[in-house]
Amino acid sequence: LHRFRTTGKGPLWALPLLQVVWVNSHGSHILGVALPLLFVAGEAVARLRPRVLTPVERCPKPPGRAAAELAGTSLACAAATTLNPQGLAAFAFPFQVAALDVYLGRIGEWQPLSLELLAGFGARYTWPFSVLVALGLVGLILRGRRIHPVDLLLFGVFLALVARGVRLIPEFAIATLPGTFLHLSGL
């Protein structure tokens, strides 16, 4: 998705194939449908509000075509999500599991992000996450108005997801590392 955003080329065809694997192996598979939509939203902001954020890297494709390809990829990922033993019920599964008290009340990785986890007993587990958030914030500040809205959306949405449950820290890292490294590359 990042390659597509910066070059107009990228193996978007591979995402639905990866989605089939993801939906059959992990409950966070719903993010595979949401990620291309976040890129569509970020590209829309970049095109509609160029004075607010003026990113250096822009997709060289015409905006409508890039958005259509990303939206089509998201639809293909949604279709791929049904290729599992649960069928359409896979769309509801992550939300059903996240609402179960047995997970929320007893399992540490399902707990919301807290100061106790970041600076207390959990610091030995969450320090890499804290470093990544700090680096991401530094990168965002350094880029200022030249940040791409996609990177801002990915950082904000995935940070909000981690705040609801620390089990999504790996997804936060995967989604935000490309933007973080890009923003820090000037250093």
Side-chain angles (χ1 to χ4, degrees):
L1 288 167
H2 282 282
R3 188 179 315 147
F4 179 80
R5 185 188 84 200
T6 57
T7 67
K9 302 173 190 164
L12 296 180
W13 58 266
L15 295 177
L17 300 175
L18 291 170
Q19 184 66 11
V20 171
V21 175
W22 198 355
V23 73
N24 285 289
S25 60
H26 198 269
S28 67
H29 64 269
I30 200 74
L31 297 174
V33 178
L35 273 170
L37 292 176
L38 286 173
F39 276 76
V40 170
E43 287 295 332
V45 170
R47 302 295 178 187
L48 297 174
R49 297 284 186 198
R51 293 182 187 174
V52 176
L53 297 172
T54 53
V56 174
E57 56 289 321
R58 290 184 176 268
C59 184
K61 289 192 174 195
R65 180 168 176 173
E69 287 183 39
L70 289 166
T73 299
S74 192
L75 285 173
C77 287
T81 300
T82 64
L83 301 176
N84 70 85
Q86 293 182 330
L88 288 172
F91 287 102
F93 177 75
F95 304 104
Q96 292 168 340
V97 170
L100 294 174
D101 288 335
V102 68
Y103 291 117
L104 298 175
R106 296 184 178 90
I107 299 176
E109 71 176 283
W110 285 81
Q111 301 309 307
L113 192 61
S114 66
L115 189 56
E116 188 177 23
L117 277 173
L118 291 175
F121 75 91
R124 65 181 174 260
Y125 303 114
T126 59
W127 71 265
F129 167 73
S130 299
V131 169
L132 180 57
V133 169
L135 288 174
L137 289 173
V138 166
L140 292 174
I141 290 167
L142 287 177
R143 289 291 286 247
R145 287 187 39 169
R146 295 177 303 129
I147 188 165
H148 199 288
V150 168
D151 296 325
L152 196 57
L153 271 173
L154 290 173
F155 192 85
V157 167
F158 278 86
L159 188 59
L161 289 172
V162 169
R164 289 186 41 99
V166 295
R167 72 183 314 268
L168 292 172
I169 286 176
E171 286 86 344
F172 172 85
I174 291 167
T176 61
L177 271 175
T180 298
F181 284 140
L182 176 70
H183 302 153
L184 295 174
S185 64
L187 295 177

